[in-house]
Amino acid sequence: MEESISILKWKAFVENKQRKKLLVKVIWNDTDKLTLLITPNMKVNAFIKDEKEGFLFYDIEGKPISGPIPSILPSNALEDGQILLKAISDGTVTVYGEKINKNEMNALH
């Protein structure tokens, strides 16, 4: 059984689930690097990791982004450019902030 899937396969899965086209964006700061799946009209420019609320995202003007990010891939969920299935199953990688169910997980294999 596979232990990881490609970012493009995950992108297609999230697009199919939400019926929206998405872009892949890599963003980093001094402490972490994230790969985001965002809609074309989202203007994510910066982020911080808050202990209580998780990742907080900001636009180019420094205003918080209020809507949910379609998918956030932390650097620890990736290995050699592939998303670890363990990271998806344990909820590190989510779709609109929600963990995917077992049927969806099986569809990814």
Side-chain angles (χ1 to χ4, degrees):
M1 183 188 334
E2 297 178 48
E3 292 184 15
S4 61
I5 61 168
S6 71
I7 292 174
L8 291 178
K9 187 173 181 178
W10 179 251
K11 178 182 175 274
F13 172 79
V14 177
E15 285 178 337
N16 188 40
K17 185 173 172 72
Q18 296 298 323
R19 293 177 175 72
K20 291 182 181 179
K21 286 288 181 189
L22 300 173
L23 302 173
V24 177
K25 181 172 185 165
V26 177
I27 187 169
W28 62 91
N29 64 16
D30 294 339
T31 59
D32 204 1
K33 181 171 117 179
L34 301 176
T35 303
L36 306 175
L37 298 183
I38 57 173
T39 58
N41 62 346
M42 285 183 138
K43 306 296 183 209
V44 178
N45 191 54
F47 73 95
I48 59 171
K49 186 172 184 179
D50 183 58
E51 294 298 321
K52 294 179 184 174
E53 297 182 37
F55 292 107
L56 302 173
F57 296 94
Y58 299 91
D59 65 13
I60 198 159
E61 297 171 353
K63 296 178 185 171
I65 295 176
S66 58
I69 304 292
S71 189
I72 303 167
L73 308 168
S75 58
N76 63 352
L78 299 172
E79 186 176 283
D80 297 328
Q82 301 275 314
I83 303 169
L84 299 171
L85 291 176
K86 181 181 181 295
I88 297 170
S89 64
D90 69 13
T92 303
V93 176
T94 59
V95 177
Y96 285 90
E98 297 178 11
K99 187 175 170 182
I100 65 171
N101 64 40
K102 286 186 180 190
N103 292 336
E104 293 169 330
M105 189 69 192
N106 290 335
L108 284 173
H109 293 287

